[in-house]
Each structure stands twice: as C-alpha cells, then as structure tokens.
Amino acid sequence: MKNIKIFKEEFDTNLKEIERAEEVWKAQFPSDYKVFLLQYNGGVPYPNCPTISSENNSELWPVNRFFSIGDVIIQKEHPMTYTLHDIDKEDFERLNLNNEYLLVFALGERGVYIMNLNSEDFGQIYFANYSGGDGIIKVNTNSFSEFINSLDMPKWTEEEYDPDFQLTKHYYSSNKIFQDYLYHTPNNPSLGFNRFKEVFAVLGDIQPPEDGYPNIPQKYVHDKLKLEYLLEQGCKTDGLLRYANNAGIIKYLIVEKGLDINEIYKGRYPLQSYLTSTAKYEIKKKYELIHDLLELGIEMDWSIKGIKVDGSPDLPMIEKLKVLHDEYLQYEIDDKNWWIKNGKPSGHVPFKRSALIEQKLGIVDDK
C-alpha cells in the first residue's frame, strides 16, 4: 500500500465543528471519515487515483481535492455548482438514492465523489461523472478508509510513485483560493464570502507572483465584496484595471480607488487590453465595453501606445480603436450570414453601432 500524503489547504477542524456539520446534514458521518477530517480537514492527495473497482467496471478518475468541513457545511446550506442539485431525478431513482443525504466529499478530474449518509445505504460511495461518462456509478465500497487507501498513481501515466514527493508548491491552476466556484453563493453572498476568508487565511499570500496569471485581487476584480476585503488585508491594486472587463468596475477603480486608466502596467496599458481581441467572440464585448466607458465619461488618452505580448511595438490606441470598429462591422456581417446559411435568419440580433465610438473616429453617418 502506498503512503498517502495529504497537502492541507485549511486550518484544522474539531469535533464541535464536525458535530455542527452533522446537525446541518441531519445525519451522522462515518467514523473513519470523521477521523480523516480531524487529521487533515480535506486537502490534496498524493497519489490520487482510486484503484478500487466500481459497478460495470466504470472508470474512476483521480481526486483533485477532498473537501473540508467548511465545504461540507456550505454545500448543504447552498446549492453549490459542484453538487448534484441540478441532476435529473431519474439518475437518482436508478440507484434508489435520496439526494438530501448525498454528501460530496471530493472533487475528481471528471466529476465528484459522493458519500451516502442515508441509514439504509450508510457510507456507500458513488462517483458522478457527467463529462462524457456514465452518470452516477456505485464504487464497490462503503468504507471511506478503504477508498482512500486504494489511491495510487493513474494507470495511464508514466509517472512513478515518489515516496519523497512533497506537496508544497501552490500551483495557480490548483490553489484552492483561486477556485471561485467554491465561494459562488449568489443567493446568499455572505456564505461564500466567509468560506473565501477561511481559505485565504491559509493559502492567501498577500500578493503572490503572477507568472502569467492574475494574482488574487486581479482574479476577483469583479467581486467588490472580496476585492474590498483583499485590499484591507494589504493586497495592492497593481494591474487591476488591466484585468477588469466591466465598465462599472472600471469606473469604481478609477473614481473610488484612484487608479489611472492611462498608466502603463508591465509594458501594457489597460486600454490596450480593452481594445485587443484574442478570439472572435471577444470583439462584440470589447466594442460594447469601449462604448460604455465613453458613455461614462472616462478620460482615455488615445495617443498612447504600449507593446504587444511578443514585445514588439503596438499601434496607438486610436488606431487600435479603428481596427476594433472594423472587426466589429465584419463580425456583424459574418454573424448575419451564418444565420442565413443555416436557415435561421430570424436568429440574428443586429449589432448596435456606437455613435460615441464613431464620433471618436471621425466617422460621419451617411444616413
């Protein structure tokens, strides 16, 4: 048996908190699961692929993380996106499952791992795979200890188990603080906000290196509640305008936080990002954003120019605006033609022309 290692992502829990979780769920947790929570309170496992069998030999995918007691509680208090609240009733009926007692205890690469707390099927583990998989499948164990002790290296990887492997580096793609779906509670924002603060207290370096990715405040620039909290904790406002893509947030950063939309950041201006489309679907959003900024009266210097990602000189902003305008007009033509080609001309929504943008470009409406 491999020596399973768990990288802890949150502070330790205690019996009182576990008892509170059981009260929220109106059910007892298996004793071996409670021991795990007391020891690790969730976390990232190594190795992480279950080798235990499942019904019909359906494939089980690696565990990305075990959820903490805080995650366990919040998923019962709010229909979190990673839970089973939107799965068809028929999928539960096939296995005679009551959704009210299905606790999601781990997130897998392609689905979630579930523990049944119902007394009739107590402790039974299931895997829900809806990414081209088999839906809800039964794992051949009702023991959490047996499940976790079965973890090994995935069969399809050439990587061998390393007994000296240390889970120490917080990769951006896996760092729990960046997983915004874990804190997404639009019907009750304080729930997700409190979860976010609990995780930030452990994993939230004040201003970690970006390494090509947004740092924590840049990641949550559109969430004013979290952003205000991060700034109170000492996070800086560097680069926030570059990562903002909402006119209201941009105005808030300029007016209330004193940021300068015409100030360069790492060789690039915020306006440069707003005017550059890396994919066709972005063209319409960027065009509408510029219109909104002009409508809000945001003062923008159209003469400045920065550098491209590859380090070469970029066009002045006014010329980039002309490029965006032309791309927008062509996008409308292409979109309209697509609907006509597919026999659904009524589906095309006319693109709004911005008089403010055309005025800035000196374009005269022939009509």
Side-chain angles (χ1 to χ4, degrees), residues 318-335:
I318 193 66
E319 293 184 31
K320 289 181 68 66
L321 180 61
K322 179 64 167 61
V323 171
L324 179 64
H325 178 265
D326 292 344
E327 289 176 337
Y328 182 77
L329 297 183
Q330 185 60 51
Y331 188 14
E332 180 181 19
I333 294 172
D334 294 343
D335 184 69

Side-chain angles (χ1 to χ4, degrees), residues 172-183 196 200 206-208 210 213-224 226-227 230-231 235-245 249 253 265:
Y172 173 83
S173 60
S174 59
N175 190 318
K176 191 173 184 178
I177 196 63
F178 288 102
Q179 312 308 310
D180 53 351
Y181 65 89
L182 295 176
Y183 323 108
F196 176 83
F200 180 81
I206 293 300
Q207 202 88 11
E210 295 173 66
Y213 296 99
N215 58 35
I216 299 177
Q218 292 165 354
K219 167 73 175 180
Y220 292 99
V221 66
H222 295 107
D223 189 328
K224 289 177 67 174
K226 295 185 182 68
L227 181 59
L230 291 170
L231 298 182
C235 289
K236 299 178 182 178
T237 57
D238 297 350
L240 288 181
L241 280 174
R242 176 176 168 181
Y243 284 92
N245 56 31
I249 289 292
L253 292 172
Y265 174 74

Side-chain angles (χ1 to χ4, degrees), residues 150-317:
S150 79
L151 297 181
D152 204 337
M153 303 300 291
K155 295 178 181 178
W156 56 83
T157 182
E158 296 181 358
E159 184 181 356
E160 296 184 359
Y161 172 75
D162 179 6
D164 298 319
F165 182 80
Q166 296 295 320
L167 290 160
T168 56
K169 187 173 182 180
H170 297 176
Y171 294 100
Y172 173 83
S173 60
S174 59
N175 190 318
K176 191 173 184 178
I177 196 63
F178 288 102
Q179 312 308 310
D180 53 351
Y181 65 89
L182 295 176
Y183 323 108
H184 184 64
T185 57
N187 299 334
N188 189 344
S190 63
L191 280 177
F193 183 44
N194 289 333
R195 274 274 61 226
F196 176 83
K197 290 192 291 185
E198 290 170 354
V199 176
F200 180 81
V202 180
L203 299 180
D205 299 343
I206 293 300
Q207 202 88 11
E210 295 173 66
D211 295 331
Y213 296 99
N215 58 35
I216 299 177
Q218 292 165 354
K219 167 73 175 180
Y220 292 99
V221 66
H222 295 107
D223 189 328
K224 289 177 67 174
L225 188 63
K226 295 185 182 68
L227 181 59
E228 286 283 1
Y229 172 76
L230 291 170
L231 298 182
E232 289 172 1
Q233 301 308 303
C235 289
K236 299 178 182 178
T237 57
D238 297 350
L240 288 181
L241 280 174
R242 176 176 168 181
Y243 284 92
N245 56 31
N246 174 278
I249 289 292
I250 292 170
K251 182 178 180 181
Y252 156 77
L253 292 172
I254 294 172
V255 175
E256 297 191 33
K257 298 303 173 183
L259 304 192
D260 185 355
I261 197 171
N262 301 309
E263 182 177 314
I264 199 166
Y265 174 74
K266 294 191 174 181
R268 291 176 66 81
Y269 291 94
L271 187 56
Q272 195 177 0
S273 298
Y274 307 157
L275 292 166
T276 303
S277 301
T278 57
K280 194 168 186 177
Y281 71 89
E282 290 183 341
I283 295 172
K284 192 169 185 288
K285 292 181 179 179
K286 303 260 181 175
Y287 183 90
E288 292 171 348
L289 173 61
I290 297 298
H291 168 81
D292 292 342
L293 292 176
L294 290 170
E295 193 171 49
L296 288 172
I298 303 297
E299 293 293 333
M300 294 172 278
D301 186 348
W302 296 95
S303 66
I304 56 178
K305 60 180 180 180
I307 59 174
K308 296 180 181 178
V309 177
D310 61 8
S312 62
D314 205 347
L315 297 170
M317 299 303 157

Side-chain angles (χ1 to χ4, degrees), residues 112-172:
V112 292
Y113 285 94
I114 308 158
M115 179 186 300
N116 195 347
L117 301 181
N118 196 325
S119 58
E120 297 178 1
D121 193 29
F122 185 69
Q124 180 60 54
I125 293 175
Y126 297 86
F127 180 56
N129 181 359
Y130 287 88
S131 300
D134 303 308
I136 301 178
I137 57 174
K138 186 176 183 179
V139 181
N140 292 330
T141 184
N142 64 352
S143 165
F144 179 81
S145 295
E146 186 177 5
F147 174 83
I148 196 171
N149 287 332
S150 79
L151 297 181
D152 204 337
M153 303 300 291
K155 295 178 181 178
W156 56 83
T157 182
E158 296 181 358
E159 184 181 356
E160 296 184 359
Y161 172 75
D162 179 6
D164 298 319
F165 182 80
Q166 296 295 320
L167 290 160
T168 56
K169 187 173 182 180
H170 297 176
Y171 294 100
Y172 173 83

Side-chain angles (χ1 to χ4, degrees), residues 334-352:
D334 294 343
D335 184 69
K336 183 177 181 178
N337 289 339
W338 185 92
W339 284 102
I340 293 174
K341 179 181 177 181
N342 288 275
K344 303 175 182 178
S346 62
H348 170 75
V349 179
F351 287 29
K352 295 180 180 179

